[in-house]
Amino acid sequence: MKVKSVHNVVSLCCAAVLVLSLTSCNPTSGATEYEVIYPSGYSRDCYTYDTSSPIEGSSCCLQWEEADDYKKTYDYDMHILDEKGSVLYIYPDVGGKTMRGSVQEDSKIWVCAEHWTAPHHNGYVEGWLKESDLLLIDLRDGEILFQDKAGENEFYITSNETRCYFYVPGKEESEKLFGLIKIPAVNAVIYYRDTSDWRQKHTVYTFDYVTEPDIDTSNGVSTRIKFYISENQLKVTWTSYEPVGNKNWEYLEKKAYEISLTENAFP
């Protein structure tokens, strides 16, 4: 009897260690994923590991390379390649493994190099965005016309001339000083920054939720926000990953928001 009891204790301990180890191996478990879908059909999510990505609206692409001092700084260089894969321009220490670019008017391109810290994913997991580098570049000569940063969890969506649009997740209600000070919840928002005053945030849309809309995701393994970009409009869709029969799973649309960018464009 004593041996059996010891065996049961050991089994329970092993099971507990296994559960804890599995939990600690995936700290992003349960977090909302992001996906950006461009008019061309190109999309990027947390499972995209391409070394290069197309610049939307052009035949060029972006490519990252480890900087010369990468082992000390962990920095990346950003390369712009032409349609034949030849290097047009090199920008030291501003690249990253998650980069996106799109053409504006007059051969100008907006480029965003994101710096994520999410383990087991190549970015695009809510709460794990450290910062981003935003650059406005003249594709004709490679000149940087504007360069600045976006902060923690400011997720870059798209640009309209001198404006860059960001999605920022909401914050739940919290307390300080043992409950003496209550900090109210903040809803998720989309706002833009303009090159003329980069520090100023201009709210475009305030969502009706803090962490996620009132949707049923009880059968879902994960939730994902899909950002569909078009010229004058942005569609933000909440989806849940669920079984659809025949052992197949898909992201099913639960709630969608259509946001006009022209109404908030240039008066």
Side-chain angles (χ1 to χ4, degrees):
M1 293 297 294
K2 184 178 293 186
V3 173
K4 185 176 181 180
S5 299
V6 171
H7 176 74
N8 289 340
V9 170
V10 172
S11 298
L12 289 171
C13 289
C14 290
V17 170
L18 178 61
V19 170
L20 290 173
S21 64
L22 289 174
T23 303
S24 62
C25 284
N26 188 15
T28 62
S29 178
T32 300
E33 300 172 355
Y34 294 157
E35 181 180 359
V36 180
I37 301 99
Y38 288 92
S40 65
Y42 175 75
S43 66
R44 192 170 191 103
D45 61 20
C46 58
Y47 304 109
T48 305
Y49 285 90
D50 300 337
T51 56
S52 62
S53 59
I55 298 175
E56 185 74 12
S58 83
S59 57
C60 298
C61 67
L62 302 168
Q63 180 174 282
W64 58 266
E65 295 283 349
E66 292 182 357
D68 292 338
D69 58 351
Y70 173 80
K71 292 184 178 180
K72 292 182 179 180
T73 63
Y74 298 103
D75 286 337
Y76 293 90
D77 296 340
M78 181 179 73
H79 295 186
I80 295 181
L81 312 182
D82 63 15
E83 65 275 9
K84 297 181 180 179
S86 301
V87 177
L88 292 176
Y89 312 112
I90 299 176
Y91 303 90
D93 304 328
V94 296
K97 286 191 173 183
T98 50
M99 295 190 295
R100 289 179 283 135
S102 60
V103 172
Q104 304 294 299
E105 295 181 356
D106 301 324
S107 297
K108 297 173 184 176
I109 62 171
W110 271 106
V111 175
C112 178
E114 301 157 340
H115 307 285
W116 298 83
T117 59
H120 313 301
H121 301 82
N122 193 20
Y124 296 79
V125 180
E126 188 168 279
W128 295 84
L129 178 57
K130 181 180 178 182
E131 65 177 12
S132 302
D133 288 292
L134 277 297
L135 301 94
L136 181 61
I137 299 173
D138 191 329
L139 200 54
R140 292 169 295 192
D141 57 13
E143 180 185 357
I144 297 177
L145 305 175
F146 175 83
Q147 181 177 0
D148 214 314
K149 292 183 178 292
E152 185 177 14
N153 293 323
E154 285 186 271
F155 181 63
Y156 171 74
I157 307 172
T158 187
S159 297
N160 188 337
E161 296 190 21
T162 59
R163 295 182 174 182
C164 293
Y165 292 84
F166 301 89
Y167 173 82
V168 180
K171 295 181 180 180
E172 294 182 323
E173 184 181 58
S174 59
E175 298 179 348
K176 285 186 176 182
L177 298 177
F178 305 101
L180 294 176
I181 299 177
K182 294 186 180 295
I183 302 174
V186 178
N187 287 35
V189 298
I190 287 178
Y191 57 70
Y192 71 81
R193 296 175 182 268
D194 194 287
T195 57
S196 62
D197 184 8
W198 191 252
R199 300 293 166 241
Q200 185 68 34
K201 302 173 183 177
H202 304 270
T203 300
V204 173
Y205 192 88
T206 300
F207 291 90
D208 57 1
Y209 60 85
V210 174
T211 56
E212 67 178 44
D214 183 17
I215 57 178
D216 180 14
T217 58
S218 57
N219 296 322
V221 170
S222 61
T223 53
R224 173 176 289 197
I225 309 178
K226 295 189 177 186
F227 299 90
Y228 294 89
I229 299 171
S230 60
E231 184 177 358
N232 299 315
Q233 182 175 281
L234 176 67
K235 182 179 179 182
V236 181
T237 302
W238 272 83
T239 65
S240 177
Y241 196 56
E242 299 181 9
V244 293
N246 296 325
K247 299 182 179 180
N248 295 320
W249 291 66
E250 292 181 5
Y251 284 99
L252 301 181
E253 182 177 308
K254 295 292 185 175
K255 193 166 185 178
Y257 304 82
E258 293 186 354
I259 302 162
S260 173
L261 300 182
T262 56
E263 294 177 2
N264 305 280
F266 301 89

